[in-house]
Amino acid sequence: MVSITVGGREYPLALTVQAFSDISDLCPGKDFDRINEINQLPTGELAKVSIKILAALSNGAEEQRAFGDPAYEKQPLNTKELLNMPVNEYLSLCQGGILAIIAKAMGGETVEVEPAKKKEKAAK
């Protein structure tokens, strides 16, 4: 399982079905296949979306662990916590990009997405 360090504490990340669904909701058209378009957002908006993605992945890992061990007390990262970290820590955390973090959370699989195709008018 992949993890990230925030505020000196290590947090596991997992792309569970719930995390996948939550991340899909953040993608254009709520379509995970369009996740690469997130990188085209203005910097500030990209940061907020990236934070929500990290929170979803953290929650996925914590829910997964609690499911396997009902006595486990979940302590996922939340968006408020992430939004208040220093910018240099955020930049260091997302150095490889949010898509790389998602790929690692998928278990090392790569996320391959194709650019959005332009719809062409049918020839008359």
Side-chain angles (χ1 to χ4, degrees):
M1 182 177 291
V2 68
S3 63
I4 58 172
T5 302
V6 176
R9 182 164 176 236
E10 195 169 323
Y11 293 89
L13 304 177
L15 186 64
T16 61
V17 173
Q18 182 63 54
F20 179 85
S21 176
D22 293 344
I23 293 168
S24 293
D25 286 344
L26 298 170
C27 295
K30 297 188 177 200
D31 183 359
F32 191 85
D33 287 341
R34 296 178 61 191
I35 194 162
N36 64 322
E37 294 176 38
I38 289 174
N39 287 330
Q40 298 166 3
L41 295 171
T43 307
E45 194 173 338
L46 172 60
K48 289 178 185 176
V49 170
S50 296
I51 292 300
K52 290 177 183 178
I53 289 172
L54 291 172
L57 293 170
S58 176
N59 190 57
E62 291 294 294
E63 288 289 340
Q64 193 174 56
R65 187 166 176 189
F67 184 77
D69 177 7
Y72 177 72
E73 289 188 40
K74 298 177 281 192
Q75 296 180 338
L77 279 164
N78 59 54
T79 53
K80 186 175 181 180
E81 194 173 11
L82 288 162
L83 285 169
N84 286 295
M85 75 173 127
V87 171
N88 62 344
E89 187 175 350
Y90 165 77
L91 293 173
S92 176
L93 179 65
C94 295
Q95 191 172 35
I98 197 68
L99 295 180
I101 293 171
I102 293 170
K104 288 179 186 174
M106 291 177 73
E109 298 176 31
T110 56
V111 177
E112 287 190 34
V113 289
E114 294 180 15
K117 296 179 181 175
K118 294 181 182 179
K119 293 182 180 180
E120 297 180 21
K121 293 183 180 180
K124 292 184 180 182

